[in-house]
Amino acid sequence: MTRQELDLCTDDAPSADRRTGAGRTAPGASGPGGKTSLRAWLRRNRSAVRIGAAAYGVLLALFCAGLFVDDSMPGAVALGIVPPAFAALCPPWAVARLAAVAALGATYLTTEYDDAGAGTKAIHLGVVVGLGAVGVWASATRVHHTLQLGQARSATLILQRTVLEPIPADLPGYEVSALYLPADLETKVGGDLFAVVRSRHGMRVLMGDVRGKGIGAVTTAATLMACFREAAHYEPSLPGLAARLEERIAQIDEESAGPADERFATAVLFAFDDPTHLRMLSCGHTPPIHLRGGRAVELELPINAPPLGTASLYDEVEYAEYRVSYVPGDVLVVVTDGVTEARDSAGRFYPFGERLIRWSHHGSQRIAHELITDVTIHTGGRLHDDAAVLVVRKSHVDAADGPDAGPDPDTDPDPGTNSKADQVADVA
């Protein structure tokens, strides 16, 4: 398993739907021992067997009712209700069998126990056969739509994975993992984005969230990430990177119809090029969490730039980057608002920082998995917004620094950065 994990919750159609006849295996058809093969087949198809037993049980109950309860009641017609009633649970071949059994039962009841005329009997049988045909058609239509939806999901899954390119495997000194969970499980496409670049200036990280959903949001996210991956190799400063991203999203607005403020994205940028500090710049994004020594600190910066794509709404935009103490063993957790704004059935927000402390001693991959799983449990599996998680753990210890290396209290902010950065470093 790679350091990047795109857990996109792939859905497969129910196994009963995929067995359309040609691919079915009969019980006892394989294996040297018939009993063993039958037992294994029953285990594999437990759900289908239960549904089939229920369907035939209902048929039997209706048939017995027609025989013994009331001769004047057209019990034969009631048998025809069973195939369409189970069309949503059974594949077409199973519904066809139900329809055939229902037709046979109805034929016997109308022939032996129905006192109506020949014309009425024919109508009763016609109703049963027609309902069976409706059930087979409904089941076949459902399976067809399921296959089409599966193909659409596969296409959008490929699109999403193409946008979220793999995190570089060779990142000396850092352990990086990321996960993405879409709120829309039907299309699996959202506007959350993350990218990690190992440039000549050091590792650069971007996490962002584009307004909206669907293909438009993915297109904007892909454009921003492409711009970031290129600019990271030429812009040593985070303000320079942010300015390029703002310029690029403004170009998208110029090329598209609609007001310029209809397309924007929150983002947070990080630079990892110092043995004891990281640099960060936020454009209206959810504050990340810094884990150290069993404590979780929210990195709320003194100055936040507005979201990318909204600079034209302000007279002047200040892109200020800050230095944060970041030594071996520290963990940085960056998420989108799908995590921080996740609510349970009672409307309580997910306690992001509080839960992270539980997993602070784990590796980045484990932290990302635990966090996504915990958010899903908290919401009861009903996310209202896409959720992305990126975890960076500083693992390498430079020989000059030693295992207990920490921030130098006399270190000045990097050139061009705001001196308020030390306030963040002290808190962290």
Side-chain angles (χ1 to χ4, degrees):
M1 189 171 289
T2 60
R3 290 181 176 179
Q4 179 194 32
E5 312 232 1
L6 300 177
D7 189 3
L8 295 173
C9 298
T10 52
D11 254 342
D12 288 322
S15 58
D17 291 348
R18 293 196 298 267
R19 294 191 301 273
T20 56
R24 296 200 314 275
T25 56
S30 61
K35 291 183 178 179
T36 303
S37 299
L38 177 60
R39 196 174 296 116
W41 184 87
L42 289 174
R43 280 198 304 268
R44 289 195 304 270
N45 300 274
R46 185 180 295 111
S47 177
V49 170
R50 289 175 178 173
I51 293 173
Y56 287 103
V58 172
L59 278 178
L60 180 60
L62 292 175
F63 182 79
C64 292
L67 282 176
F68 306 113
V69 175
D70 190 353
D71 293 344
S72 64
M73 182 183 70
V77 177
L79 293 175
I81 300 174
V82 177
F86 282 85
L89 301 174
C90 301
W93 61 266
V95 177
R97 286 182 180 178
L98 281 174
V101 173
L104 289 174
T107 301
Y108 179 79
L109 290 176
T110 54
T111 302
E112 300 296 332
Y113 294 93
D114 197 340
D115 297 332
T120 303
K121 291 181 179 181
I123 291 174
H124 288 174
L125 288 177
V127 170
V128 173
V129 173
L131 288 174
V134 169
V136 174
W137 172 81
S139 178
T141 301
R142 176 181 59 82
V143 171
H144 177 67
H145 289 168
T146 300
L147 293 175
Q148 285 187 324
L149 180 59
Q151 293 172 352
R153 288 175 174 174
S154 298
T156 53
L157 178 62
I158 293 171
L159 173 62
Q160 191 73 56
R161 289 189 171 180
T162 301
V163 171
L164 300 175
E165 291 185 3
I167 293 174
D170 186 18
L171 297 170
Y174 300 98
E175 182 187 337
V176 184
S177 297
L179 284 175
Y180 172 76
L181 183 65
D184 185 357
L185 296 179
E186 296 299 316
T187 61
K188 295 182 172 34
V189 174
D192 288 8
L193 59 105
F194 53 79
V196 179
V197 175
R198 186 184 180 188
S199 73
R200 57 186 175 183
H201 306 294
M203 186 172 74
R204 299 292 186 265
V205 173
L206 165 68
M207 172 68 90
D209 187 358
V210 177
R211 173 185 178 272
K213 299 187 187 325
I215 300 300
V218 172
T219 301
T220 302
T223 303
L224 287 175
M225 283 188 286
C227 177
F228 170 76
R229 292 186 181 109
E230 179 182 5
H233 293 282
Y234 301 99
E235 289 287 351
S237 72
L238 296 183
L241 267 177
R244 286 216 186 187
L245 293 173
E246 173 63 38
E247 181 180 356
R248 186 65 188 95
I249 199 171
Q251 290 173 349
I252 301 175
D253 282 323
E254 291 176 0
E255 297 165 0
S256 306
D261 61 346
E262 286 190 357
R263 181 181 287 101
F264 64 87
T266 64
V268 60
L269 299 166
F270 300 93
F272 298 86
D273 49 18
D274 186 295
T276 59
H277 290 82
L278 63 81
R279 289 182 290 131
M280 64 178 291
L281 183 154
S282 178
C283 296
H285 195 77
T286 301
I289 295 292
H290 183 195
L291 298 175
R292 174 189 290 177
R295 294 180 61 230
V297 176
E298 187 178 81
L299 298 180
E300 183 69 60
L301 301 184
I303 297 178
N304 266 288
L308 298 172
T310 63
S312 60
L313 304 177
Y314 298 86
D315 295 333
E316 184 179 357
V317 174
E318 179 181 359
Y319 294 114
E321 66 177 33
Y322 296 86
R323 294 172 67 244
V324 180
S325 174
Y326 193 67
V327 298
D330 285 5
V331 179
L332 180 73
V333 183
V334 198
V335 300
T336 55
D337 56 10
V339 173
T340 57
E341 296 181 5
R343 302 191 188 203
D344 61 12
S345 57
R348 293 185 294 264
F349 286 105
Y350 178 71
F352 177 38
E354 177 183 321
R355 297 289 178 89
L356 279 177
I357 297 175
R358 303 178 182 179
W359 315 302
S360 60
H361 59 286
H362 292 304
S364 63
Q365 187 179 95
R366 174 73 179 276
I367 294 173
H369 271 286
E370 293 286 358
L371 180 57
I372 284 291
T373 302
D374 201 42
V375 170
T376 304
I377 294 173
H378 179 81
T379 60
R382 299 181 300 274
L383 285 177
H384 298 291
D385 198 0
D386 303 328
V389 176
L390 190 141
V391 182
V392 183
R393 174 183 284 277
K394 187 170 178 61
S395 57
H396 179 69
V397 180
D398 292 328
D401 297 327
D404 299 320
D408 182 356
D410 298 326
T411 301
D412 293 329
D414 289 336
T417 62
N418 194 307
S419 61
K420 292 182 180 178
D422 288 333
Q423 299 174 9
V424 181
D426 292 340
V427 172

